[in-house]
Amino acid sequence: MVMRWRLIRSPALSGAWNMAIDEAMLLAHAAGLTPPTFRLYSWSPPAVSLGLLQPADVVNEPVCRQLGIDLVRRPSGGGAVLHQHEVTYAVVADGRLCPDGSSVLATYRWLARGLMEGLKLLGIDATLPESLWETKTPSRSLSFCFVRLTGADLEVGGKKLGGSAQARRRFFLLQHGCIPLRLENEILARLFGSLHLDTFTSVELVAGRRVSPDEFAEALVRGFERALKVQFHEGELTEAELQAARLLMEGKYGTREWLLARKVAPNLREELNALF
């Protein structure tokens, strides 16, 4: 059976706005107001996103300011990621759609089929690690997401190519992830310290050519259509999602309180409940 999903192509936005929109989509879908959604977006300015539970000092914030790089905390776990030369994806869906069960790992691997099929269209044969969770911890700088390879990640030749992270609301999931088109290792070293560069790679290095953001985005769309039996229809955020994103921006993701201590505005939950 072919599933109908909404496809949203967002303009480049700040890290705080991107995270606010992702969570707003999750809340709207969990409330039964929207279909499963696949969103593609980029970041302006470039940003480092911290995992939900990471301390803010895992990244060099003064260097971020010097380089014009934003800093935001995600609603999902995992390590810090530099979002620079990439197209980020976000999926909101009911985990019970997954044919292998609604667990975190099962849904990671279900959605990975779409990612791998999309990469195959670019001539890249990516795989999932055989081990379920952590398989490599080769670097002292474990705050950086791409030095760790888990069962939810994509690898090529033993090197990490893509990482994903989830947030949950009952059975409903938000998964967002990134596959870098190219890397600037000097910037990564300034942000995170000494890194083992042989543990991760990029689309450009694996494909042996430049892949544009548009080409990459189209490959992901086609990959999800083929692998997950999805029929996309182009859509936009609903008014409720936009209102929720504004509330989340003002009371959560756009604040230093959330970035440094995971604190949100005291009335945020009540305001969101009024929408959903």
Side-chain angles (χ1 to χ4, degrees):
M1 182 180 69
V2 175
M3 297 180 287
R4 283 182 58 82
W5 285 27
R6 178 177 57 163
L7 173 64
I8 293 179
R9 303 176 192 267
S10 294
L13 296 168
S14 71
W17 271 112
N18 276 326
M19 295 302 94
I21 289 172
D22 280 352
E23 183 172 346
M25 293 195 314
L26 174 62
L27 296 174
H29 187 54
L33 301 179
T34 57
T37 299
F38 186 59
R39 183 169 86 98
L40 297 168
Y41 58 93
S42 56
W43 307 63
S44 181
V48 170
S49 70
L50 301 172
L52 176 64
L53 301 179
Q54 283 190 299
D57 62 2
V58 299
V59 63
N60 192 321
E61 189 172 2
V63 170
C64 284
R65 287 195 294 268
Q66 292 169 14
L67 298 176
I69 293 173
D70 205 356
L71 189 59
V72 67
R73 183 177 298 279
R74 300 191 304 268
S76 57
V81 178
L82 172 60
H83 304 280
Q84 187 178 28
H85 306 298
E86 66 174 64
V87 176
T88 305
Y89 78 88
V91 172
V92 293
D94 187 333
R96 291 168 293 187
L97 293 174
C98 175
D100 300 317
S102 61
S103 72
V104 172
L105 187 61
T107 51
Y108 270 133
R109 296 200 157 204
W110 173 53
L111 296 175
R113 297 174 196 170
L115 301 173
M116 291 187 291
E117 184 65 25
L119 289 168
K120 191 177 298 182
L121 295 172
L122 299 173
I124 298 173
D125 186 17
T127 59
L128 288 163
E130 292 182 6
S131 177
L132 295 183
W133 294 113
E134 196 95 355
T135 58
K136 294 182 180 179
T137 53
S139 172
R140 290 173 297 174
S141 185
L142 294 179
S143 59
F144 179 51
C145 175
F146 278 76
V147 301
R148 298 181 294 179
L149 185 61
T150 75
D153 297 326
L154 298 178
E155 65 174 333
V156 176
K159 297 183 179 183
K160 183 168 177 172
L161 176 62
S164 299
Q166 282 190 13
R168 291 274 180 138
R169 188 175 178 86
R170 300 187 300 275
F171 290 105
F172 297 92
L173 64 91
L174 159 65
Q175 178 171 314
H176 41 205
C178 64
I179 299 172
L181 299 181
R182 59 190 177 93
L183 296 165
E184 294 193 41
N185 292 328
E186 290 184 7
I187 291 178
L188 291 174
R190 291 185 65 186
L191 292 172
F192 298 105
S194 179
L195 298 172
H196 287 262
L197 303 180
D198 60 349
T199 62
F200 53 91
T201 188
S202 67
V203 169
E204 179 181 298
L205 290 174
V206 175
R209 65 180 181 90
R210 283 283 178 96
V211 175
S212 72
D214 287 345
E215 181 185 5
F216 182 77
E218 288 309 310
L220 284 192
V221 169
R222 290 164 56 199
F224 268 74
E225 286 177 331
R226 293 184 184 186
L228 272 65
K229 296 182 172 58
V230 167
Q231 182 180 69
F232 285 119
H233 62 95
E234 299 264 358
E236 302 290 340
L237 295 168
T238 66
E239 185 56 37
E241 287 172 314
L242 289 170
Q243 290 183 42
R246 292 187 196 103
L247 292 172
L248 287 160
M249 175 68 179
E250 295 168 1
K252 187 174 182 179
Y253 296 106
T255 71
R256 293 287 292 177
E257 289 79 11
W258 171 253
L259 176 65
L260 299 179
R262 292 186 288 127
K263 293 181 179 179
V264 303
N267 59 340
L268 179 61
R269 180 173 296 180
E270 289 76 11
E271 291 175 324
L272 291 171
N273 286 341
L275 285 176
F276 302 115

